[in-house]
Amino acid sequence: QVQLVESGGGLVQPGGSLGLSCVASVSGFSITNMAWYRQAPGKERELVAAMTRDGNTNYGDSVKGRFAISRDNAKNTNTLYLQMNSLKPEDTAVYYCNALRIGRNYWGKGTLVTVSS
């Protein structure tokens, strides 16, 4: 089992920045891929950004050039980050952390990001 706990959500004005964190309960290199997804009201969950254990990244088209994913998978920690810049009202959503470990997907409970003036 892997527990994922997100933090860092909140209210931010358009054009502002916000950083999210996700801490996994499993340390070391057993987690292969980690990712951020988001779900806006009335819409399907979509990929925001993903990162493999080796550092390869993939971004959703709508966030390329504005968001940056990073990961700390040192021996005793497994933390995923998302730096969000130039935020737009359409970035408003619940952001979920995702981890793939030994063929199973795990999800956090999500953190709300609201972009509004």
Side-chain angles (χ1 to χ4, degrees), residues 2 26 30 32 42-44 80 87 89 108:
V2 178
V26 177
S30 62
T32 51
K43 295 188 176 181
E44 294 186 353
L80 187 70
L87 283 160

Side-chain angles (χ1 to χ4, degrees), residues 5 34 36 43 46 79 82 107:
V5 179
M34 294 189 77
W36 290 98
K43 295 188 176 181
E46 64 174 357
T79 305
L82 184 69
W107 295 91

Side-chain angles (χ1 to χ4, degrees), residues 48-64:
V48 177
M51 191 171 198
T52 68
R53 186 170 53 199
D54 297 331
N56 295 314
T57 59
N58 182 38
Y59 291 91
D61 289 341
S62 62
V63 306
K64 286 180 181 177

Side-chain angles (χ1 to χ4, degrees), residues 39-115:
Q39 188 166 18
K43 295 188 176 181
E44 294 186 353
R45 192 172 296 190
E46 64 174 357
L47 174 70
V48 177
M51 191 171 198
T52 68
R53 186 170 53 199
D54 297 331
N56 295 314
T57 59
N58 182 38
Y59 291 91
D61 289 341
S62 62
V63 306
K64 286 180 181 177
R66 299 189 298 121
F67 290 11
I69 189 172
S70 60
R71 179 175 171 181
D72 180 0
N73 57 359
K75 182 177 180 180
N76 297 316
T77 185
N78 232 319
T79 305
L80 187 70
Y81 304 95
L82 184 69
Q83 179 62 39
M84 304 182 291
N85 301 320
S86 302
L87 283 160
K88 305 175 181 180
E90 50 264 42
D91 294 318
T92 296
V94 177
Y95 284 70
Y96 296 93
C97 181
N98 170 270
L100 177 65
R101 178 176 182 262
I102 314 177
R104 290 187 61 182
N105 264 306
Y106 297 88
W107 295 91
K109 294 182 178 181
T111 184
L112 177 63
V113 173
T114 303
V115 185

